[in-house]
Amino acid sequence: MNNYVRIFDTTLRDGEQSPGATMTSAEKLEVAHSLARLGVDIIEAGFPASSPDDLEAVRRIAEEVGNPTAGEPNAKVPVVAGLARASKGDITKAWEAVKGAQKPRIHTFIGTSEIHMKYKLKMDPEEVIQRVSEMVAYARSLCADVEFSPEDAGRSDPEFLYVVLGEAIKSGATTLNIPDTVGYTTPDEFFNLIDGIIKHTPGMHDGITISVHCHDDLGMATANTLAGIRAGARQAEVTINGIGERAGNTSLEEVVMTLKTRHPVFELETGIDTTQIARVSKLVSNYTGMVVQPNKAIVGANAFAHEAGIHQDGMLKHQTTYEIMRPEDVGVSQSTLVMGKHSGRHALRSRLAEMGHSLDDVELDKAFARFKELADRKKTVTDADLEALIADEFYQPRDVYLLNGLQVSCGTMGMPTASVRLRGPDGKIYTQAAIGTGPVDATYKAIDEIVNVPSTLLEFNIHAVTEGIDALGEVTVRIQGKDGDHTMDAQTEIQHNRVYGGHGADTDIIVASAKAYISALNKLIIAQTEGLQTA
Ligand code: KIV
Ligand code: ZN
């Protein structure tokens, strides 16, 4: 058996499906580029039949990320996959979306547990078998690389699975993905399931890759994925930060770092450049507005922090006393002093390039202006500051409204008041003042008065990018569209009432809060007026 585990990233499909993780097409494209730089083998870019926006986003990713870049002809090009239910319509759309990639893949699925067949599909087991053979064959007639998943395999009868998977092989599937859709199994059970499939599926041969896809409902997704890999699976389906339906999917960083850190146990390799992990984690968190919990393995803010005196003492004596991985292995920079106010454009460009951001001249001008502004206010500018600035400046939806000025007065003496100036989509300047329960509330009320798009603020998070009183403040928000018009069709209503994340960074936390809110509102407005793909 080969010792290479393919990393199939589904952040843009299963991850994006989780409540509030909606990304615009431009954001998806940026994440896809980062995933390619990270070295994932397969990017599941979306579910093209779910909406015209999703089809368009997958098509752009297939064309732009799924092909060699000019100037880098030898760089690894990921497979680009599109998900499809086992129906002709879905499969046709998935093919339409991925066919522009150098290595396209159609991933089709159907439920195989009794619960799914009886209640969801209302199909007999024989009908399911028939559908699998017809639809896998149809997908294969379009695309040479076909993946098949028996949904809810974790609760399916293994004997039935062998038959279904045997049909999929006969019809041309080359990857068989085994999902624990509801995160129900234990590692031992999942090991046995994969082991049984490899041993008993008719027609199983070396050209077939067994894949595992686990959900985290009982907190065992990573353990189950690793158990499946030990049983012989050679593809792991994962997401950045473990985002995904309900409690999420297996997290990429946990699987990859376990295989690397415990190499003597597994003796397996992946193609991941682990030094990119922290960066992609931050990008996904900023775009989705889903904050990573501080104690999250590998990418949480405290993952490499040592607080207890005994631990700090041990760390000072030798790093290995309390650290099983080095922070720099996952791209968490230990260097604090990176640049100061005297650093020039060239130094900034090369530091950003080392961090994985290649900017053109116009972008560099903007980044340099922001950097100088920050360096005037803050003694040292760290990698973390630069990441926050880049995210704030470039990883934003297209501007509809733009913050043009903000003044707040607050304290114990009176009523917190904010005066806000925004440049509107028509180029005009709008000014509004409002009183609130605090400075952020007052600012958001003033913005609402100008923008006039009904929404609910679901979540507001603020944190300091680095230590010290002069630190940059980073704010992420999640808002939900609130449209009372029930005459619209279901698809439009979903679009209007989706959850959107926004992100902003500034040394002034009220300015950062305003930027984050405006960025989320911009996404909502664009989605409501034009559809997500144009955001
Ligand atoms: O969890 C699941 O079963 C899935 C399939 C569509 C692969 O996401
Ligand atoms: Zn899933």
Side-chain angles (χ1 to χ4, degrees), residues 381-392:
V381 178
T382 66
D383 283 355
D385 290 322
L386 292 180
E387 285 293 2
L389 276 194
I390 292 294
D392 188 59

Side-chain angles (χ1 to χ4, degrees), residues 6 127 137 183 262-263 270 328 506:
R6 291 182 197 186
E127 288 176 289
R262 306 305 311 278
H263 190 267
T270 71
E328 49 274 34
D506 201 278

Side-chain angles (χ1 to χ4, degrees), residues 8 10 13-14 17 44 83-84 107-110 116 147-153 177-182 213-215 237 245-246 249:
F8 176 115
T10 183
R13 199 277 298 169
D14 223 344
Q17 246 165 262
E44 186 164 55
L83 184 71
H107 175 194
T108 186
F109 72 99
I110 192 166
H116 275 227
E147 171 171 331
F148 169 71
S149 293
E151 193 188 12
D152 205 15
N177 176 49
I178 312 304
D180 181 19
T181 304
V182 290
H213 175 117
C214 300
H215 281 263
E237 301 204 352
E245 284 283 3
R246 306 178 310 279
N249 287 60

